[in-house]
Amino acid sequence: MEKLLDRITAAVSEAFVNCGYEAEYGKVTISNRPDLCEYQCNGAMAGAKKYHCAPIQIANKVAESLKEQELFSEVNAVNPGFLNLKLAPAYVQEYLQGMADDERLGCEKTANPKTIVIDYGGPNVAKPLHVGHLRSAIIGESVKRLGRFVGHKVTGDIHLGDWGLQMGLIITELKERKPDLVYFDESYTSEYPTEAPFTISELEEIYPAASARSKEDEAYKEQAMHATYLVQHGHRGYQAILQHILNVSVTDLKRNYANLNVEFDLWKGESDAQPYIPDMVEKLKKEGFAYESEGALVVDVKEDTDTKEVPPCMILKSDGASLYTTTDLATLVERRKLFDPDEVIYVVDKRQEMHFIQVFRCAKKTGLVKPETDLEFLGFGTMNGKDGKPFKTREGGVMRLEYLISDINEKMYQKIAENPEISEEEARETARKIGLSAIKYGDLSNQASKDYVFDIDRFTSFEGNTGPYILYTIVRIKSILNKYQAQGGDLAKGRIPVAENDSQKTLELTLARFNGALENAFDELAPHKVCAYIYELANAFNKFYHETKILGEENEEKRADLVAVLQLTKRVLETCIDVLGFEAPERM
């Protein structure tokens, strides 16, 4: 279905043309004064200079033309030249019935679907997920779902940190603790064990212990660096340990990400890019892009229009070792080979912006990606505590993600358990769903690039702009629909009615903006716009609910039609929260 705003703009643009003005002046926006009108057009103001007349003259002429349109119930020209518009309730009713009859609620899939890779998550193996991993996972998952909903082919890649010194540190520490393991026997030629020589708990203890020691013991650090070199150059035993680290870590990561309702299509890491590095480096040298600077291999990426210093992109360090820039460029080579994407979106901390400026420019300049491939940097701000500093535990440490989720779920459980009608099992599951909505909505309702305060008390509230409030609204609708059916009502019987009062029309107009809201949110990579939309919709519904007799309506046909509005509202809200990555329970 064509977006309602586009239909209105088309009608107003046609009126401008009929009155002798250019169509471009007919652009319509949602009114910023809902007390005066529902939509507005300011084109007469912009056209006054060109047509050498007062804006109100243009507005009056166009308003007179629009009064013949069945689309509008009211058209007013207001000084100094605004057009104030109100839609005919019957037209809105017809539009909403089209939404209700459509499986996709009137949201057409894009006519030009893209192949898109989203790089998000980015945890290091052998380390537990902590709150610093939250934003990338939540924002990336939502952008992925938004992209798929509007019709693009989207692949999500976690891009694991599984290469570098951390691997050498783990191997070195493991060798000291368990020197008799076959992985350290250079004469061993048989198959290595399939079971890892450590658990996830042991692994998570080994790495920080090794990291701490390497900062005080230079000889130990040298051993770790040599072990890193060996694993990166194919040492058979160390490669087997690396595979164990990956298997154990990924199993645990999948469990933790599942608790966030986050799924990745690819579990690739930096190590997967390694085979592409030699040929890539050779290409950059051969084609004259890469040159030596202080022993390192670099590519210039500065541009004449730069207002700040953009350093060269370093491809290899002076000792020949690769860096994050190397593996990110090689990963783009791999993605081009495997997916030939039209767009690659990176959901990472905004403090990494310069790194990605260098990577993107280098990839474009050297032809590692096609000229038409879009490389997007979606940088997010910091998740802070109430003190305005990065979120920490009460003891001042970095909080593990599973502990944060557990704390919020317990907080929600304590609230839900007050209802004696709900079993403990249902209460726990309901608490999990509400807790997830609190975390995800609390994050996504903020513009991604901005820092925000993670306020557990506010995010878990059932009032205000929160996930639990949105879920409470959906559950309220479910409860009414269940009662309606229990009274013998047929959910398939009703049709969307013509609005009879202001609260009903406001609700219907808000519902009609659904397809535009989701398309716009993806175009701008802005999940917070979905949150803003459903908060407005939830408020509109609750006002309608408090002012309208629904199940108490005596006229059976009218009651069925009101129920049809509830069903459409529920479908729209549930579609939106699915895009945001959470779901509603049956009751709260």
Side-chain angles (χ1 to χ4, degrees):
M1 285 173 65
E2 185 181 18
K3 294 190 285 292
L4 183 59
L5 187 59
D6 289 347
R7 289 191 186 182
I8 302 167
T9 292
V12 176
S13 295
E14 184 181 357
F16 268 86
V17 171
N18 291 342
C19 294
Y21 309 113
E22 290 185 16
E24 66 185 62
Y25 296 113
K27 184 179 179 182
V28 175
T29 59
I30 297 169
S31 173
N32 55 17
R33 287 290 305 276
D35 54 318
L36 299 177
C37 59
E38 295 158 357
Y39 292 88
Q40 66 187 61
C41 174
N42 305 336
M45 307 285 287
K49 186 175 181 180
K50 177 171 183 175
Y51 295 105
H52 308 292
C53 61
I56 193 64
Q57 289 181 274
I58 298 175
N60 277 323
K61 197 173 177 183
V62 174
E64 198 59 37
S65 174
L66 284 172
K67 286 176 181 176
E68 302 170 9
Q69 290 264 4
E70 293 182 356
L71 178 59
F72 303 105
S73 63
E74 198 174 311
V75 179
N76 294 307
V78 181
N79 277 320
F82 300 116
L83 276 172
N84 289 353
L85 311 167
K86 286 190 176 182
L87 298 188
Y91 188 87
V92 179
Q93 177 271 332
E94 181 185 341
Y95 188 85
L96 285 191
Q97 189 58 55
M99 280 180 63
D101 292 340
D102 182 36
E103 185 180 350
R104 287 178 49 82
L105 297 164
C107 193
E108 294 180 4
K109 289 192 175 184
T110 179
N112 300 299
K114 294 180 180 178
T115 297
I116 300 172
V117 175
I118 301 186
D119 184 317
Y120 68 109
N124 289 319
V125 299
K127 295 182 184 179
L129 290 178
H130 56 75
V131 292
H133 295 107
L134 188 66
R135 298 213 72 189
S136 181
I138 288 176
I139 297 167
E141 181 71 15
S142 181
V143 170
K144 180 187 75 178
R145 290 172 179 234
L146 263 172
R148 286 177 178 172
F149 184 80
V150 300
H152 298 294
K153 181 182 178 182
V154 187
T155 299
D157 185 2
I158 192 170
H159 196 66
L160 295 165
D162 63 353
W163 205 247
L165 183 58
Q166 72 191 75
M167 297 299 123
L169 286 167
I170 293 168
I171 291 168
T172 300
E173 183 64 18
L174 188 64
K175 187 174 183 179
E176 288 224 350
R177 296 185 183 193
K178 301 180 180 181
D180 295 332
L181 289 174
V182 293
Y183 310 95
F184 307 119
D185 181 354
E186 299 299 332
S187 63
Y188 188 79
T189 56
S190 302
E191 291 294 318
Y192 289 108
T194 55
E195 189 173 336
F198 40 71
T199 63
I200 186 62
S201 298
E202 290 171 328
L203 192 57
E204 288 174 356
E205 184 273 325
I206 287 172
Y207 175 69
S211 180
R213 183 175 170 185
S214 71
K215 292 170 185 173
E216 300 174 355
D217 186 337
E218 190 60 35
Y220 182 87
K221 185 177 181 180
E222 287 291 332
Q223 291 178 51
M225 291 174 69
H226 184 60
T228 303
Y229 175 86
L230 290 176
V231 74
Q232 291 184 354
H233 288 79
H235 185 286
R236 186 168 168 268
Y238 291 4
Q239 286 273 323
I241 293 174
L242 173 62
Q243 196 56 53
H244 284 313
I245 294 171
L246 289 174
N247 292 342
V248 170
S249 290
V250 167
T251 298
D252 189 62
L253 286 170
K254 285 182 176 179
R255 178 181 63 83
N256 278 284
Y257 278 118
N259 290 335
L260 278 175
N261 200 17
V262 169
E263 296 178 350
F264 298 93
D265 305 291
L266 301 175
W267 286 81
K268 286 181 171 290
E270 291 177 272
S271 60
D272 291 288
Q274 298 306 308
Y276 296 89
I277 291 176
D279 287 347
M280 179 186 78
V281 171
E282 186 59 31
K283 166 187 163 66
L284 300 185
K285 287 180 179 178
K286 185 177 179 181
E287 296 179 4
F289 293 113
Y291 66 94
E292 279 198 17
S293 174
E294 297 179 17
L297 192 68
V298 302
V299 174
D300 281 330
V301 292
K302 64 182 179 180
E303 296 176 354
D304 293 340
T305 54
D306 290 336
T307 56
K308 60 183 178 181
E309 182 66 23
V310 180
C313 182
M314 191 180 296
I315 307 300
L316 294 176
K317 293 197 291 187
S318 57
D319 62 359
S322 58
L323 308 92
Y324 285 129
T325 47
T326 323
T327 53
D328 278 336
L329 287 166
T331 299
L332 279 170
V333 173
E334 181 188 32
R335 287 171 177 160
R336 179 176 179 177
K337 178 182 178 182
L338 298 180
F339 304 103
D340 192 22
D342 301 299
E343 186 174 0
V344 185
I345 302 169
Y346 293 80
V347 184
V348 288
D349 191 310
K350 66 181 180 182
R351 290 171 292 189
Q352 295 188 42
E353 183 175 12
M354 179 54 72
H355 165 80
F356 282 99
I357 287 173
Q358 293 172 303
V359 169
F360 292 174
R361 287 186 181 181
C362 184
K364 289 278 190 176
K365 178 179 180 178
T366 62
L368 295 179
V369 297
K370 293 179 179 178
E372 62 271 22
T373 303
D374 290 324
L375 300 176
E376 294 282 345
F377 174 75
L378 178 51
F380 54 80
T382 307
M383 170 182 158
N384 295 325
K386 291 181 182 180
D387 59 359
K389 298 177 181 178
F391 192 87
K392 301 282 187 182
T393 63
R394 290 178 182 174
E395 293 74 30
V398 178
M399 180 176 279
R400 287 178 66 145
L401 194 50
E402 61 183 305
Y403 296 163
L404 177 68
I405 295 171
S406 178
D407 287 350
I408 291 178
N409 287 353
E410 186 60 32
K411 191 178 184 73
M412 299 313 309
Y413 172 73
Q414 295 302 329
K415 291 184 179 182
I416 295 163
E418 294 173 6
N419 183 347
E421 296 180 9
I422 298 181
S423 67
E424 180 176 353
E425 183 181 0
E426 184 183 353
R428 291 285 180 192
E429 178 60 14
T430 301
R432 184 191 66 77
K433 290 180 178 178
I434 301 173
L436 186 59
S437 79
I439 293 171
K440 287 199 164 188
Y441 191 93
D443 187 300
L444 293 170
S445 57
N446 299 277
Q447 187 172 334
S449 62
K450 294 183 178 179
D451 299 347
Y452 79 99
V453 173
F454 192 88
D455 185 341
I456 293 178
D457 293 329
R458 182 169 72 83
F459 290 173
T460 56
S461 173
F462 287 85
E463 299 176 355
N465 189 13
T466 69
Y469 169 70
I470 303 299
L471 296 195
Y472 183 76
T473 302
I474 296 172
V475 169
R476 167 176 274 168
I477 297 173
K478 287 183 176 182
S479 176
I480 298 169
L481 296 179
N482 288 338
K483 287 178 182 176
Y484 177 69
Q485 286 182 294
Q487 294 170 2
D490 181 359
L491 293 179
K493 191 174 182 181
R495 305 283 289 172
I496 302 294
V498 174
E500 294 184 350
N501 53 53
D502 287 345
S503 66
Q504 185 175 344
K505 191 178 184 190
T506 298
L507 173 60
E508 293 189 1
L509 283 170
T510 308
L511 285 166
R513 294 196 348 249
F514 164 73
N515 52 8
L518 262 66
E519 285 183 30
N520 180 247
F522 181 73
D523 288 343
E524 298 185 21
L525 302 181
H528 72 278
K529 293 199 168 186
V530 180
C531 295
Y533 171 70
I534 58 175
Y535 180 54
E536 184 181 347
L537 180 57
N539 283 338
F541 169 78
N542 284 314
K543 189 172 191 299
F544 162 76
Y545 167 77
H546 288 299
E547 294 182 4
T548 308
K549 281 185 178 180
I550 300 172
L551 296 185
E553 170 58 52
E554 293 181 1
N555 183 299
E556 186 178 335
E557 184 177 342
K558 189 174 179 182
R559 185 166 66 248
D561 290 348
L562 290 171
V563 165
V565 177
L566 266 65
Q567 290 185 83
L568 181 58
T569 305
K570 172 177 168 287
R571 285 176 64 196
V572 169
L573 286 171
E574 287 183 329
T575 300
C576 288
I577 66 170
D578 181 65
V579 158
L580 296 175
F582 57 92
E583 61 182 323
E586 289 304 307
R587 57 178 178 168
M588 290 167 64

